[in-house]
Each structure stands twice: as C-alpha cells, then as structure tokens.
Amino acid sequence: MSSSNLSYRPEIDGLRALAVISVILYHAQFTILGQDWFVGGYIGVDIFFVISGYLIARIIFSELNEEKSFNFINFYERRARRILPMLFLVIFSCILFAWKTLLPTQLIEYAQSNAAAIVFSSNILFYLTTTQYGAESALLKPFLHTWSLAVEEQFYIIFPIISIFSFKLFRNTLIFILILLSIVSLQFAEMIAGTNPDFNFYLPFSRFWELATGSILAYREMISRSNCSSKRLEIFPIIGLVLVIYSIFTFRSDTPHPSYHTLIPVLGVAAIIGIRSTNGPIAKLLGNRLLVWIGLVSYSAYMWHYPVLAFSRLKWGEPSNLEKLLLLVFIAALSIASYFFIEKPSRNRKKLPSRPFWLITSICMIVSFSLAGAAYHFNGFPARIPVGWKNFEPDAGVLQKSFWSVYWKNEDYLHTPSKNKTNVYIFGNSHSSDVLSALMIRRDQYSDFHFLKSERYEQIGCFDEDDARFSNQRDKFYNSETYKASKIIIIATKLSDVYCDKSVEKGHPDSSGLKYFIPRLQKDGKIILIMGNTAFIKPIDGKTVADYVFSQAQNDGIDFSSGEVFRLYRMRAEALAFSNLDLGNVVKNKELENFAKANGLGYFERLPLFCDFSAETCAVFTADGHKIRYDYGHLTDHGREYFADELLKANFPDVLRKLSFEKNR
C-alpha cells in the first residue's frame, strides 16, 4: 500500500460526522411533530465500526507489506493516545456530578463502568448488569456509550494477530479468510438476534463482521493500488449514502440488530469507502469543511454527549426540545475545546513523549480503580442520599434480572416431591413466580407443605385439548412426577385472554384452556385453588408510579432530610397507584371468584394484599424505600418479601390446611 493510499481522505471524516450526529440525535430523543425522527440513529455506531476497521487495517497491512513486520508497541501506544486521554478527562470531569446525582446502586455501577472502560471491557459489564440498550433506564447510565469503545479495542487486540498470521502464511487468500470470518460472524448475529438480543448487541462476536468489512476494503485497496476514475462507479457511493440515511430514518428499536438488517447501513458505508473518487459527488458532499470539522471532533463529541445527556436527565428529568438544543451546543463547545487541548496534544509525541504519557496514564488508572473500589466497598456511599431514597433502584432491568432466581436456586427442591408433606404445585406464567417466591421465602411457616414447580412458565391456553400443536407440552406436564405427586394445585397465573404461544398463528386464550384444564385436575383428584390476579398498575407518562413519583421528588428539589418527607411522597405514590389501578383486572378477578364458586374450587384474592379499597391506596414502596414492582405488576425481590408477609397476615397457611382438610373429610 503506497503512501498515496494512506493519504488523508476527508470524506471519511464526513462519514464520522454523519455517524456521530445520528448517534447524538438518537440519544437526545428529539420529538418533532410528535415523532422521534432519529430512532434509527444507533446505526451511527455501526458506521464507526466499519470506518475503524478500514483505517486500522490499512495501517496494519501497510506495515506488513512495506516493513515486513508489525510493531505492536507502537500500534497500541497510538491507540492509547487516541482513546485514553479523553476517556480520563470525561471520567474525572463527571466525578462531582456522579457524587451529587447518583443513587448508591447507580454510583457503584457508574464506578464499575469507569474501571471497565479503562480496560476496554465495559460491553461485558453492561451485558451482565444493564437493561436493553435504548430503554429509558439505559439513558440514565452516564458511561453506557463506552461499550462501543470496548468492542473496537477487543477487535484491535485480536485482529493484528489474525492479520500477521494470515499475511505471512496465507497472503493470497487473506481476503477470503476475512470474508469467511465475516459471514460466520454475521450468521451468528442473525441466529441470536431474536433469542438473546442483549448478548447480540453488546459482545464482539456479533460485531466482528462490521469491523472486518472495513478491513476487507483496506486489503482490496492495497491490492488494487488505484483510485476510481470511472464515472460509472460513482453511482455506488450515491447508493451507499442513500442506504445509510434510509437506515437512520427507518430502523426502529424492535429492528433485529445486528442482523441481516444491519447489512443495509454497513454495505452503504462500504460502498462509500470502497470507491475512492475524490471528485465524485458524495466525496465532495462528505468532504465539505463543516462535516470534516465535525468528523475531526467526533470522538470528543461521542465521549461527552452521553454523560451530559444522562446527568441532565438524572438531575432534571427529560429535557424539552429547547433544553436539548442548548445541551447540544454545550456538548459542541466541550468537544471543540477537548479536541484542541486534549486530543491533539496527547497524540503528538513531540509535545508528550512516551515516558510522561505512560506515567500520567498509570496515575490516572490507579486513581480511577481506587475510586471504583471505594464506591464498591462503601456500598455507593449511602450517607449522601436523603432518608427514604437510599434503597431506590431506578433500573427495572437490574430488578428484573433476579426475577426467576428463587426458581433456579431451588430447582432440585421444586422438582422433587416430598413423601411426608402435602405437595403443592404452583402453576402459571411469570406471575406464578411471585407466588412461588413468596411461599419459598417464608417456607418455614408452611411446615406442612412442600412446594413444586417443574417448569418456569406455564400458560393455561396451551391446555386446550382441541389444539394438537401443544399435546407434547400437555403430556409432559400431566406425566411429570411433580404433577402426579401434587395434592394441591395453585393456579397462580395471570388469567387473561392472551394466547398460548405468541409465536404461532391462531393461538388459544386462557379461557379456552381453562375449560379442559380444570376438569382434568378434578378427574385426577387434585385440590384446586385459583388465585386472583395481582394489582396491575397502569403507567403514568410511560413510567411506573414509583419512577414517576421519584422524578417528581427530583424536580421538586426538596432536601429529603427526614423520613417524614419521604413518607409524604410514599403516600402520594400509593394514592396515584390506586387511581391508576387496572379496573379491568378487578372485574376479571370477580369473574374468577364466581367461576371458582360455581365449580367447587378454592379461591384466594390477591388484590387486598396490595390495595386498600377503603383508603383508596395501593402499595408502591416498602417502608425503607424499596420498589415493590419493577413494571406494571411483577414484583421485585423486596416486593416478594412484602407479599410473603402479607400472605402470612392473611393466614394463607391455614387456607391451604383448610382446603386439604375439607378434601380429606
């Protein structure tokens, strides 16, 4: 690859500008005429990946081709000079805001994300700890955007090794090796896009093909050693830009990504980079001074935009469009200053030689790791937070991750019937997990009973005998040892008219399965207890009542110096929850109670355990500030403890004993 091939290409900085603008506008969530026009702006990261793969690969291939060797130390120092100074600047600039704004659990995760970003593993951290990228709670994580830096750097660790090995032994087939690896990576992404979208999004296996696409372009460029002079080929960059813009404006949060869909923007970028025509219309458009300028400061802009927007939302809630515009001006000013005073000097080895650079870097790393360790050791310094909010967890994804933990931890117990106690099977979908967990938490209070559950998720609609598609599922349940040994069956599902299986057409609702399921249980001599649906609370402005009231508290700017102030907000939340109680659910429970009486079945009403209809309140927080629900109705771990205690107050063990006694009498 000649020096001319490595010459500066302004249109690539223009592409960087397009990428960073789309990402920032996506995260800003501008609403114009009632619509977020940049909902597909997340593909800006994919643009960055292709560009990075191209630029890094052509450096590597150039050294291998001309020098016949590769200097790892020089390569990684250049990467460190490019990435780390801005990373440390943003980390240390945000410390005060984090201290003043973040709740204890948030501060711990924030400190961990800082440390993970430094060692380029934040994508792994966020996969293990966070909710879906793009979800509302994800917008409140100041360093979530560093996941993409981690993916790039992980690529930079592996790719030089692959390149050197392949260049020396399989040079003539290197491009085919890259294409094969890209196909495998893309196929992997497509396979798990629907089954494990978080793994697909954050981890490098699904992203390798995007960076490798840029590498393939660099290798092709090295072989061809020529620019495009044919006017006919200039149509490809035009098509490429159309594909990129199309993706930005049409991709949605539910678009599988990365997947085959992602081929659209990636191939678009490849078409722009792959055709080197300095006089072409797209090269001139992307190479204009304004876009090039934005491209030059794109890394600083990318690093600043997410924490600025996140801390703004944490402190004042969702900003208006005007406030977002002012924040973007602020981000632009920070980016320009950072580029001139941090990025450029740190890349210049004459101004900052290697020894002082690595000394400063080492000190910054030690300080960052020390701060992260302190935040973890001291549990996020809860003394900073006013009484009542210390235990508030704003991220529903974090609370949801432990939803089935009781089932997994007690799987052997739940799958093994007791020979001495009355076996009780907890049947149902996700809402049965709340009942199961509450009973297991206070298992010592149910000394006469042994609880069973062989499958996590059971939908009554699947037990419609007219639907042959689920006969194996029904047979598996009826033939299981847990079912055969059960004396009492608690139907603790969310009873509604949802289909048995959403993935199939013309599914059967619960009502159609119930008319077969109940007679079969009765035929097999089972004691049946139907539990009414739990309290379903409708959201307010897209937030759970707990999150809405917490946002109100933040916006009020009150110093929560006493538990009494929190109690007032807790009372406000309870009243709001009752006013937003799903009344259709109340009607459904009455229908279930009448059905149970008509068929000689036991019935237990869950709603009064959460809602006081005379006081017109529904529980939202525990007394010490933990959320009871993480969504409309599923319980958190502390919510299940609350539920467990309420069941005991309602003498639920005696309810089970009475059912068992009356059956035996």
Side-chain angles (χ1 to χ4, degrees):
M1 191 177 294
S2 64
S3 60
S4 64
N5 289 107
L6 285 176
S7 62
Y8 174 63
R9 296 182 61 182
E11 73 272 21
I12 290 183
D13 271 325
L15 266 178
R16 279 192 176 123
L18 183 61
V20 79
I21 289 171
S22 64
V23 169
I24 292 175
L25 291 178
Y26 166 67
H27 290 143
Q29 294 191 333
F30 275 102
T31 302
I32 303 172
L33 299 177
Q35 182 174 342
D36 183 357
W37 295 91
F38 296 93
V39 72
Y42 55 81
I43 65 101
V45 174
D46 305 276
I47 298 174
F48 278 129
F49 283 160
V50 180
I51 293 172
S52 295
Y54 167 75
L55 294 176
I56 292 303
R58 72 175 189 162
I59 292 172
I60 295 172
F61 294 152
S62 177
E63 282 196 34
L64 291 173
N65 189 47
E66 297 179 4
E67 306 296 333
K68 309 303 179 184
S69 64
F70 181 74
N71 190 326
F72 278 95
I73 295 176
N74 180 58
F75 175 77
Y76 288 119
E77 181 174 334
R78 288 179 64 178
R79 297 307 306 156
R81 286 175 178 270
R82 165 75 172 164
I83 299 295
L84 292 178
M86 270 304 303
L87 181 60
F88 287 126
L89 174 64
V90 176
I91 287 174
F92 294 133
S93 298
C94 293
I95 288 176
L96 181 60
F97 295 97
W99 180 266
K100 290 287 188 180
T101 308
L102 300 182
L103 296 167
T105 56
Q106 290 176 308
L107 186 65
I108 292 171
E109 186 186 77
Y110 173 75
Q112 290 174 331
S113 68
N114 287 173
I118 294 168
V119 294
F120 307 119
S121 59
S122 55
N123 60 326
I124 299 172
L125 173 71
F126 286 121
Y127 165 66
L128 295 173
T129 63
T130 197
T131 187
Q132 181 184 1
Y133 184 82
E136 184 176 359
S137 58
L139 295 175
L140 306 180
K141 298 175 184 293
F143 257 56
L144 181 63
H145 64 320
T146 59
W147 74 268
S148 63
L149 297 182
V151 171
E152 283 194 15
E153 297 308 313
Q154 289 159 13
F155 175 80
Y156 298 151
I157 291 172
I158 299 298
F159 187 71
I161 299 173
I162 295 175
S163 298
I164 293 170
F165 178 78
S166 301
F167 204 88
K168 291 184 176 181
L169 299 180
F170 310 105
R171 178 169 179 173
N172 294 332
T173 57
L174 175 56
I175 193 168
F176 299 107
I177 294 173
L178 291 175
I179 291 173
L180 177 61
L181 291 175
S182 298
I183 292 173
V184 171
S185 173
L186 173 59
Q187 185 60 40
F188 176 80
E190 175 68 20
M191 286 173 57
I192 68 168
T195 57
N196 197 338
D198 290 342
F199 184 95
N200 194 42
F201 187 91
Y202 285 112
L203 298 187
F205 315 108
S206 306
R207 299 286 186 171
F208 177 86
W209 69 276
E210 299 178 30
L211 290 131
T213 298
S215 305
I216 292 168
L217 295 173
Y219 187 81
R220 173 185 168 276
E221 186 177 288
M222 181 186 71
I223 295 173
S224 65
R225 295 177 175 270
S226 63
N227 293 341
C228 167
S229 58
S230 173
K231 293 289 185 180
R232 289 177 297 177
L233 293 180
E234 290 178 359
I235 189 64
F236 288 102
I238 296 174
I239 295 173
L241 186 60
V242 170
L243 292 177
V244 170
I245 294 175
Y246 168 82
S247 302
I248 293 173
F249 287 104
T250 62
F251 277 31
R252 294 290 181 264
S253 58
D254 58 351
T255 301
H257 179 76
S259 68
Y260 288 159
H261 293 80
T262 318
L263 276 168
I264 298 173
V266 168
L267 292 179
V269 177
I272 296 170
I273 295 177
I275 305 299
R276 300 190 64 188
S277 176
T278 56
N279 295 317
I282 300 303
K284 289 181 179 179
L285 175 64
L286 294 176
N288 76 79
R289 289 186 177 183
L290 177 60
L291 286 180
V292 168
W293 240 118
I294 297 172
L296 289 173
V297 301
S298 61
Y299 176 57
S300 288
Y302 184 80
M303 289 305 299
W304 278 120
H305 87 281
Y306 211 92
V308 169
L309 292 172
F311 280 118
S312 173
R313 287 182 168 109
L314 285 162
K315 183 65 176 176
W316 298 292
E318 186 65 23
S320 66
N321 278 353
L322 177 59
E323 290 168 336
K324 289 174 182 177
L325 186 60
L326 294 175
L327 287 171
L328 294 189
V329 172
F330 178 60
I331 291 168
L334 284 176
S335 304
I336 294 170
S338 300
Y339 175 73
F340 281 109
F341 295 107
I342 300 297
E343 281 199 75
K344 289 189 72 175
S346 61
R347 295 181 201 175
N348 191 326
R349 296 194 182 193
K350 292 182 179 180
K351 292 185 177 181
L352 185 61
S354 293
R355 183 170 293 180
F357 170 77
W358 287 114
L359 177 61
I360 294 171
T361 298
S362 299
I363 293 172
C364 289
M365 292 182 72
I366 292 171
V367 172
S368 298
F369 286 130
S370 298
L371 292 174
Y376 181 81
H377 179 74
F378 292 104
N379 298 313
F381 301 99
R384 300 172 299 115
I385 308 301
V387 173
W389 299 111
K390 298 179 190 296
N391 298 318
F392 184 86
E393 172 55 69
D395 190 347
V398 171
L399 298 171
Q400 187 179 7
K401 282 187 180 295
S402 62
F403 186 69
W404 288 102
S405 60
V406 170
Y407 176 85
W408 293 125
K409 290 177 182 177
N410 297 278
E411 198 169 5
D412 289 341
Y413 168 92
L414 295 170
H415 290 181
T416 308
S418 171
K419 296 180 180 179
N420 304 316
K421 299 181 180 182
T422 300
N423 290 298
V424 181
Y425 193 99
I426 315 300
F427 178 94
N429 53 28
S430 59
H431 288 277
S432 69
S433 176
D434 289 332
V435 175
L436 173 69
S437 298
L439 295 175
M440 293 293 290
I441 287 169
R442 298 290 182 262
R443 191 168 61 187
D444 58 324
Q445 300 295 317
Y446 297 85
S447 56
D448 301 340
F449 304 99
H450 183 93
F451 301 113
L452 299 172
K453 191 169 179 62
S454 55
E455 299 288 341
R456 282 190 310 154
Y457 196 95
E458 296 144 334
Q459 193 72 33
I460 290 182
C462 300
F463 286 78
D464 186 334
E465 298 291 345
D466 292 332
D467 193 335
R469 292 172 298 180
F470 302 102
S471 59
N472 290 338
Q473 185 173 324
R474 293 191 292 270
D475 291 343
K476 182 179 179 182
F477 174 77
Y478 290 133
N479 293 327
S480 68
E481 291 301 317
T482 50
Y483 173 75
K484 292 177 180 179
S486 297
K487 184 175 183 180
I488 300 175
I489 305 290
I490 298 179
I491 300 176
T493 193
K494 175 186 176 182
L495 283 155
S496 61
D497 284 330
V498 297
Y499 289 155
C500 165
D501 189 336
K502 295 180 181 179
S503 66
V504 300
E505 295 182 3
K506 298 180 180 179
H508 292 261
D510 286 348
S511 56
S512 65
L514 201 61
K515 66 180 181 181
Y516 289 100
F517 187 57
I518 296 298
R520 174 61 188 266
L521 298 184
Q522 292 174 322
K523 175 186 174 183
D524 292 341
K526 307 298 182 182
I527 302 171
I528 305 168
L529 175 65
I530 296 178
M531 293 193 85
N533 288 328
T534 187
F536 296 159
I537 312 296
K538 292 180 287 187
I540 305 175
D541 293 343
K543 300 176 183 288
T544 65
V545 169
D547 292 336
Y548 178 79
V549 170
F550 178 69
S551 297
Q552 282 188 322
Q554 287 181 306
N555 294 335
D556 290 344
I558 295 175
D559 178 15
F560 302 103
S561 57
S562 71
E564 178 62 22
V565 177
F566 170 72
R567 191 180 70 84
L568 294 175
Y569 277 90
R570 181 182 170 201
M571 291 171 60
R572 180 186 299 181
E574 291 172 348
L576 279 172
F578 186 84
S579 64
N580 284 274
L581 182 65
D582 187 344
L583 296 180
N585 202 37
V586 177
V587 174
K588 174 65 69 175
N589 280 7
K590 191 62 180 177
E591 293 174 356
L592 290 173
E593 183 178 8
N594 293 336
F595 174 83
K597 289 180 179 179
N599 290 275
L601 313 176
Y603 179 79
F604 185 86
E605 180 65 82
R606 264 190 277 188
L607 268 175
L609 276 57
F610 296 97
C611 297
D612 186 332
F613 283 80
S614 60
E616 297 187 346
T617 60
C618 290
V620 176
F621 298 109
T622 62
D624 54 357
H626 289 284
K627 286 198 284 191
I628 287 178
R629 300 169 195 82
Y630 66 78
D631 61 7
Y632 70 94
H634 294 97
L635 302 180
T636 65
D637 288 345
H638 288 90
R640 289 165 166 184
E641 290 185 8
Y642 172 91
F643 183 30
D645 291 336
E646 291 299 311
L647 282 171
L648 292 178
K649 291 178 185 177
N651 297 316
F652 193 68
D654 288 340
V655 172
L656 296 180
R657 293 188 188 101
K658 184 178 179 181
L659 276 174
S660 182
F661 174 76
E662 289 182 350
K663 185 69 176 179
N664 291 331
R665 189 172 56 183

